[in-house]
């Protein structure tokens, strides 16, 4: 136990894409769309004369937070470095419907071949950032902050966690390797919360340790064991507020499980530090974008 508040382990602040992850994600998107043959495999783009150049505009068709510009740029650069994209809005900017967010100029074939991969990434990440911004806005008058989970789209975890931060949210652990989250089945297998936390301290090599709890007795056990973060999993309203009172100053508190737009403020009223929401990355809807060749090409 500690008498002072522990260092907050969750990631916040300015977001920057991980270069290696970005490279992998773009390569996978292009492989999926073009196959092993690369741009030459696009039999539709091949209808366009080889020397044809084009100008295009990228239009936003609904209100949204723009996210994913580095991914779109990387798609075009991999297909043809001479393709130029000029953004008319900033990454993370909240834009209104029917805004032109970019102009693109260069060889027509690679522009058309890369259109879908670039838009898929941009639409998905803008959708994640937009949904996150909605949840964050609901909590503007509360202490609690929004936290993501590992419930991400397969292959896009780094990208979506970046988008959560662009939308104003905070990142939980990236994967199973960078922190210890002791859940019900881990406790049962280890024999007790205390035994599980002790093992985590021995094997975790300095990683922060979180314990999932389902009642006040388990909260007390997690505090006695010295957990850094205590997750309150679907506790009743009164028990949640009491748990936060017991935890405050001794660990970070996180509410999780069954949180919806209708229950969010009730959960926040308990004074909890964080509220984790799987819907940020799991139940998202891609933002409506369209790319159109300009008439003055």
């Amino acid at each position: 136990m500690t008498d002072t508040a522990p260092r907050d382990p969750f990631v916040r602040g300015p977001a920057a894409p991980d270069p290696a992850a970005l490279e992998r994600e773009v390569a996978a998107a292009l492989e999926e769309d073009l196959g092993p043959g690369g741009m030459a495999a696009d039999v539709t783009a091949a209808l366009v004369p080889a020397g044809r150049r084009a100008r295009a505009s990228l239009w936003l068709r609904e209100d949204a937070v723009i996210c994913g510009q580095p991914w779109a740029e990387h798609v075009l650069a991999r297909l043809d470095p001479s393709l130029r994209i000029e953004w008319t809005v900033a990454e993370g900017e909240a834009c209104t419907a029917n805004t032109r967010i970019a102009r693109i100029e260069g060889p027509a074939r690679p522009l058309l071949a890369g259109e879908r991969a670039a838009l898929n990434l941009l639409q998905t990440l803008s959708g994640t950032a937009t949904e996150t911004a909605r949840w964050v806005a609901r909590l503007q008058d509360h202490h609690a902050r929004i936290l993501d989970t590992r419930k991400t789209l397969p292959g896009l975890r780094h990208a979506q966690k970046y988008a959560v931060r662009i939308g104003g949210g905070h990142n939980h652990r990236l994967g199973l390797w960078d922190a210890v989250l002791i859940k019900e089945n881990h406790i049962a297998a280890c024999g007790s919360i205390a035994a599980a936390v002790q093992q985590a301290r021995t094997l975790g090599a300095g990683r922060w340790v979180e314990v999932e709890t389902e009642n006040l007795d388990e909260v007390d056990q997690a505090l006695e064991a010295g957990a850094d973060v205590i997750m309150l999993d679907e506790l009743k309203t009164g028990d949640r507020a009491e748990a936060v009172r017991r935890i405050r100053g001794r660990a970070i508190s996180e509410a999780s499980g069954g949180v919806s737009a209708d229950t969010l403020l009730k959960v926040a009223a308990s004074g909890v530090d964080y509220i984790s929401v799987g819907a940020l990355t799991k139940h998202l809807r891609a933002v409506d974008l369209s790319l159109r060749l300009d008439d003055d090409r």
Side-chain angles (χ1 to χ4, degrees):
M1 291 186 297
T2 178
D3 294 327
T4 59
R7 179 181 62 83
D8 194 325
F10 299 124
V11 178
R12 81 261 342 271
D18 177 84
L22 187 153
E23 175 69 29
R24 289 194 303 270
E25 290 155 357
V26 167
L30 289 172
E31 168 73 15
E32 183 175 61
D33 217 24
L34 297 173
M39 195 183 72
D42 186 348
V43 294
T44 312
L47 302 176
V48 178
R52 181 71 176 272
R53 294 182 63 82
R55 295 189 185 94
S57 293
L58 184 55
W59 293 93
L60 174 67
R61 299 306 186 187
E62 61 181 307
D63 296 355
V65 175
I66 300 303
C67 180
Q69 292 179 356
W71 281 260
E73 291 170 2
H74 202 63
V75 166
L76 298 179
R78 279 180 63 101
L79 294 180
D80 192 315
S82 70
L83 281 169
R84 293 188 301 156
I85 183 165
E86 176 189 356
W87 298 99
T88 58
V89 301
E91 179 85 331
E93 184 173 343
C95 300
T96 57
N98 299 316
T99 296
R100 177 160 51 186
I101 66 170
R103 296 182 178 89
I104 306 171
E105 182 176 358
R109 280 189 180 181
L111 171 57
L112 296 173
E115 173 186 356
R116 177 44 50 201
L119 289 186
N120 281 351
L121 290 163
L122 196 60
Q123 290 175 302
T124 298
L125 299 189
S126 294
T128 303
T130 301
E131 183 66 9
T132 301
R134 292 191 185 110
W135 285 80
V136 169
R138 295 183 187 116
L139 288 182
Q140 61 182 345
D141 297 325
H142 291 267
H143 165 75
R145 289 157 288 181
I146 289 292
L147 196 61
D148 61 19
T149 71
R150 289 187 299 120
K151 297 174 182 178
T152 53
L153 299 178
L156 286 179
R157 177 162 303 165
H158 284 83
Q160 283 196 285
K161 282 185 171 280
Y162 163 90
V164 165
R165 290 171 66 190
I166 287 292
H170 304 287
N171 294 158
H172 203 285
R173 60 178 178 165
L174 184 61
L176 297 174
W177 51 269
D178 60 337
V180 179
L181 174 49
I182 300 169
K183 300 188 139 190
E184 178 183 10
N185 288 333
H186 300 107
I187 295 168
C190 291
S192 69
I193 288 176
V197 172
Q198 183 178 10
Q199 277 288 87
R201 294 298 184 200
T202 301
L203 302 175
R207 295 171 177 84
W208 53 271
V209 177
E210 179 171 6
V211 176
E212 179 185 76
T213 62
E214 298 180 343
N215 53 58
L216 291 174
D217 180 59
E218 290 183 351
V219 170
D220 289 338
Q221 291 180 52
L223 285 170
E224 289 296 324
D228 300 305
V229 184
I230 298 179
M231 179 190 293
L232 310 176
D233 186 28
E234 298 193 43
L235 266 67
K236 296 178 181 178
T237 300
D239 286 349
R240 186 187 301 114
E242 173 60 19
V244 170
R245 187 192 68 78
R246 296 184 188 186
I247 292 168
R248 186 170 289 119
R250 302 170 68 186
I252 300 295
S253 58
E254 175 194 344
S256 183
V259 180
S260 68
D262 293 333
T263 63
L264 179 64
L265 296 184
K266 182 184 293 185
V267 174
S270 68
V272 70
D273 296 317
Y274 285 97
I275 301 174
S276 54
V277 181
L280 302 182
T281 53
K282 183 178 65 168
H283 295 158
L284 69 96
R285 182 180 63 81
V287 165
D288 189 3
L289 296 171
S290 65
L291 186 145
R292 294 287 183 268
L293 294 186
D294 296 335
D295 293 335
D296 61 345
R297 59 188 182 277

